[in-house]
Amino acid sequence: MIKWWQQRNVRLSLTLWYVGAMVVVLAVYAAGVFTFVSGNASNALDDRLHEDLLLTPAMAEQRPDGTLDWYEDDSEGGKNSRWLQIWSPDGHRIFRTGVAERNPIPESEALASRADSSIVTVPTGPTMVRILTDRLDVYGKPLVIQVARPETAMRGQLGQLALMLLLGLPFAVAAAGIGGYRLARRALAPVEHMAGSARSITAERLSDRLPVTNPNDELGHLASVFNDTLGRLEASFEQMRRFTADVSHELRTPLTALRSVGEVGLRERRDEAAYRAIIASMLEEVDRLACLVDRLLAWSRAETGQARLAQEVIDLHELAEEVATYLGVLAEEKRQSLVVEQLGAVRGMGDRLVLRQSLINLVDNAIKYSPIGGDIRLRALESQTAAMIDVIDTGPGIPPELRVRVFDRYDRGGQSLSGEIGGTGLGLSISKWAIEVNGGHLTLEPTTGGGSTFRIALPRAGAARSPEGRRRKSVA
Ligand code: ADP
């Protein structure tokens, strides 16, 4: 079960933290102010007690016989009259003012006997009295003087101050709460805005991005990180779409070949051995298909940098023979001649299955686009560094202005997608990509007298390869 404090939103949390911090700060401030003011007031009261003490000699007058007469200043209606007592050093009270007579100083006798210059606070009824007892020589006579002042006024003022501070605190906290809430709401408004924008981004609208008003602040940073994530997500989705398209394209040709083998097999009655041979050949194709599916997955992983392709020595002549046999049935249906020219062994490096599939795409195109009765030739040849296979046909060729574009994904070189020759415009781009990840190149060679020549060039087995050539390239 979620506790109530776990349900609160960030705005409320921020406000609570803010109010909490405010309470602590204000309480410390109020305590500081109170301590400072009460300390000052207490010191002022002590100073006045010392002043009272020092004014005492002015109250005395010496007689001719050396004894002292004591007078009390009762001018201004006794306003200057002090709370004072005078004792002899042996503990006899010599004099006390009218105020002291009316309100005896508490514990005065005990304090007078000590006379240690200390100031003590003594409770008398509801009030507290502060008393200073000290020794002083007046006209050469040692005396003990005792002055007192009530703390009532000081305590009253301090009480008022404390009340003001205490009453002000809830108001200050309430104001802080309201201000904090508004501040938090204002600060979090862009987050709400971002959440709204993020909510509207769906799998179909992954190209949308969150607005980044200030890339240097925290929210701008968050939006940028989110946008980066969206970018990666979009790339993954795109990759998935591409993979699905590639898989369906790559599986189409082998499936057509498989179907053709089956159809040819059924066309006339055969003996058991012939049927067995046909089924064996179909099963072989099925195995290849399974391999192809595995390899397509490997391609897709290689594209994301997760897997490496095999590096093996491939006899290109033998590969050409194998593909010609494999697609021979399709050529036969169009009464085309599909021959592999014998020029001797040519060895290249790469992933055999991936390259086989690329060559199948090229030969399949040659069959598809060449007219009935056309000629298709496969030729393996080599230069100093490269091992090559040419796929030469007598089809319509590719016009110069389309020569670069045909390698683009979904480009059909002027053919419509729904045209009579079926296709997706993916074969060449997949083949080009597959050959390039194997460190090779797929080019369309210039031809004279019609038709087209596609050339796969691979690193020659045994020839040194530059690291550049091995670099993975992606299909545009
Ligand atoms: P698809 O064959 O599925 O359309 P490809 O990527 O294999 O896709 O080919 C792209 C385009 O290049 C084709 O639509 C076609 O116009 C052109 N093309 C490819 N191979 C040949 C060829 N051997 N002869 C003539 N045109 C070709």
Side-chain angles (χ1 to χ4, degrees):
M1 204 182 87
I2 299 174
K3 309 268 175 2
W4 67 267
W5 64 85
Q6 290 170 321
Q7 286 178 345
R8 65 178 191 261
N9 55 30
V10 176
R11 204 181 311 161
L12 192 64
S13 300
L14 279 177
T15 311
L16 289 178
W17 276 105
Y18 186 64
V19 168
M22 253 342 229
V23 168
V24 172
V25 169
L26 286 176
V28 169
Y29 179 73
V33 167
F34 187 80
T35 313
F36 179 74
V37 172
S38 66
N40 273 357
S42 172
N43 287 344
L45 196 63
D46 289 351
D47 288 348
R48 292 176 75 184
L49 283 174
H50 281 112
E51 272 171 29
D52 289 348
L53 183 83
L54 292 175
L55 285 172
T56 314
M59 293 167 65
E61 202 172 279
Q62 196 173 33
R63 291 196 205 111
D65 62 355
T67 55
L68 297 176
D69 263 342
W70 293 93
Y71 298 98
E72 192 178 350
D73 182 1
D74 52 5
S75 59
E76 297 179 38
K79 205 175 146 210
N80 295 328
S81 167
R82 279 182 284 279
W83 200 1
L84 179 140
Q85 284 185 146
I86 296 166
W87 301 77
S88 66
D90 55 2
H92 288 103
R93 192 169 60 221
I94 298 170
F95 174 75
R96 64 175 167 182
T97 57
V99 182
E101 218 159 303
R102 288 190 297 277
N103 309 289
I105 297 174
E107 295 175 27
S108 57
E109 238 177 288
L111 290 169
S113 65
R114 282 209 309 275
D116 55 359
S117 316
S118 64
I119 295 176
V120 291
T121 303
V122 180
T124 51
T127 54
M128 304 291 271
V129 175
R130 204 173 276 204
I131 306 162
L132 167 64
T133 313
D134 205 357
R135 293 175 194 278
L136 197 72
D137 283 356
V138 180
Y139 290 107
K141 287 189 187 302
L143 294 168
V144 172
I145 318 285
Q146 205 163 42
V147 283
R149 276 189 180 260
E151 288 189 351
T152 324
M154 181 192 84
R155 284 182 180 266
Q157 278 170 4
L158 288 178
Q160 275 175 8
L161 177 69
L163 195 70
M164 262 169 62
L165 291 173
L166 279 175
L167 287 181
L169 202 68
F171 284 110
V173 168
I178 294 168
Y181 189 76
R182 286 185 170 207
L183 206 72
R185 203 170 61 175
R186 207 188 153 119
L188 293 172
V191 177
E192 292 280 333
H193 185 61
M194 261 164 67
S197 309
R199 213 172 287 129
S200 68
I201 297 174
T202 57
E204 279 68 45
R205 291 180 51 192
L206 278 177
S207 56
D208 284 9
R209 294 288 179 269
L210 294 183
V212 183
T213 26
N214 179 3
N216 298 322
D217 68 11
E218 288 80 354
L219 292 176
H221 186 62
L222 180 69
S224 304
V225 170
F226 192 80
N227 284 345
D228 287 350
T229 311
L230 274 179
R232 284 198 294 276
L233 213 62
E234 190 187 7
S236 301
F237 263 68
E238 180 49 36
Q239 169 104 17
M240 217 164 69
R241 271 193 209 115
R242 179 182 289 197
F243 178 69
T244 318
D246 289 358
V247 168
S248 45
H249 178 275
E250 293 302 288
L251 294 184
R252 206 167 38 79
T253 312
L255 284 173
T256 314
L258 200 59
R259 187 186 168 85
S260 301
V261 173
E263 281 171 356
V264 168
L266 286 178
R267 217 172 272 163
E268 55 199 71
R269 268 196 168 282
R270 292 163 201 269
D271 59 13
E272 193 196 319
Y275 281 128
R276 277 187 167 278
I278 288 169
I279 291 170
S281 137
M282 287 174 84
L283 286 177
E284 211 175 289
E285 272 322 307
V286 170
D287 280 350
R288 282 212 189 94
L289 264 173
C291 265
L292 182 63
V293 170
D294 284 351
R295 200 41 59 105
L296 280 167
L297 282 167
W299 278 11
S300 131
R301 286 208 296 275
E303 208 179 8
T304 51
Q306 291 173 20
R308 283 185 171 276
L309 296 169
Q311 274 295 304
E312 49 201 322
V313 177
I314 311 162
D315 183 333
L316 296 189
H317 181 78
E318 195 189 283
L319 184 68
E321 291 273 14
E322 186 184 319
V323 170
T325 315
Y326 174 54
L327 293 181
V329 67
L330 296 182
E332 252 170 52
E333 279 181 352
K334 289 180 82 176
R335 294 191 299 283
Q336 294 164 333
S337 79
L338 175 56
V339 290
V340 180
E341 289 182 7
Q342 182 64 52
L343 292 176
V346 174
R347 286 182 167 69
M349 291 295 293
D351 185 309
R352 195 173 195 284
L353 203 72
V354 169
L355 293 168
R356 178 180 182 273
Q357 192 55 37
S358 304
L359 187 58
I360 287 175
N361 282 347
L362 298 183
V363 178
D364 183 48
N365 274 353
I367 297 170
K368 222 162 52 172
Y369 296 108
S370 295
I372 292 176
D375 291 326
I376 296 145
R377 284 178 297 136
L378 304 186
R379 186 171 61 186
L381 62 162
E382 59 188 347
S383 72
Q384 253 186 344
T385 53
M388 299 166 279
I389 305 184
D390 285 350
V391 180
I392 308 153
D393 66 46
T394 53
I398 293 173
E401 66 275 14
L402 300 179
R403 293 174 81 88
V404 185
R405 257 182 43 199
V406 284
F407 293 107
D408 292 348
R409 284 175 77 80
Y410 303 113
D411 191 284
R412 298 216 60 220
Q415 305 262 353
S416 76
L417 275 172
S418 55
E420 66 187 58
I421 304 176
T424 56
L426 282 171
L428 284 180
S429 71
I430 296 174
S431 299
K432 187 169 160 57
W433 175 80
I435 291 161
E436 285 177 352
V437 293
N438 277 285
H441 300 284
L442 172 62
T443 48
L444 183 54
E445 295 297 299
T447 45
T448 47
S452 23
T453 302
F454 284 92
R455 172 170 288 174
I456 297 175
L458 291 172
R460 249 182 68 177
R465 288 173 63 189
S466 73
E468 275 300 296
R470 298 180 75 121
R471 244 200 350 237
R472 198 165 56 78
K473 296 182 184 163
S474 60
V475 187

